[in-house]
Amino acid sequence: SISTFYLDRYLSMKYVDEELFQLIAMASIYLAIKIHSPKKVTIRSIASTGNGLITTHHMEAMELSIMKSLDWHLHPPTTVAFLENFFPLLEK
């Protein structure tokens, strides 16, 4: 869901074609895994799913473009964060 947040926010600011959409989606997935997952995935493994059309250089450039477009706000509210803040209020 976090990668979808990145993708949606980025697309709300920029018009992209189908090929660029694939790169943005892959970079969003990589960025979400990199920041929020305990499991680590290499950029090369994500780029390899692009059928040879996307290189690690493309991924790195798009990752930076996404981060700059989002003003480096990479920790969106999540369901878990909401519940962690909401449940203590029920106990009062």
Side-chain angles (χ1 to χ4, degrees), residues 1-6 32 35-37 73-87:
S1 71
I2 294 173
S3 62
T4 304
F5 173 82
Y6 296 158
I35 294 172
H36 299 282
S37 176
H73 297 303
L74 302 174
H75 296 282
T78 63
T79 305
V80 172
F82 172 78
L83 292 175
E84 287 174 347
N85 290 312
F86 182 71
F87 281 143

Side-chain angles (χ1 to χ4, degrees), residues 15 22 28 35 60 74:
Y15 174 79
Q22 181 181 5
S28 296
I35 294 172
E60 289 169 346
L74 302 174

Side-chain angles (χ1 to χ4, degrees), residues 4-90:
T4 304
F5 173 82
Y6 296 158
L7 179 65
D8 184 55
R9 293 285 313 274
Y10 189 85
L11 294 176
S12 71
M13 294 180 246
K14 302 184 184 289
Y15 174 79
V16 300
D17 61 16
E18 188 175 320
E19 288 179 19
L20 190 55
F21 178 84
Q22 181 181 5
L23 174 59
I24 298 165
M26 291 170 64
S28 296
I29 291 168
Y30 175 67
L31 192 56
I33 291 170
K34 184 176 175 180
I35 294 172
H36 299 282
S37 176
K39 295 181 181 180
K40 298 303 171 195
V41 176
T42 65
I43 196 168
R44 184 177 293 131
S45 66
I46 299 289
S48 70
T49 64
N51 297 326
L53 300 173
I54 295 172
T55 66
T56 57
H57 176 71
H58 292 131
M59 291 281 294
E60 289 169 346
M62 183 52 66
E63 180 182 15
L64 183 58
S65 178
I66 291 170
M67 290 186 293
K68 285 181 176 180
S69 294
L70 299 180
D71 291 327
W72 298 84
H73 297 303
L74 302 174
H75 296 282
T78 63
T79 305
V80 172
F82 172 78
L83 292 175
E84 287 174 347
N85 290 312
F86 182 71
F87 281 143
L89 297 174
L90 293 177

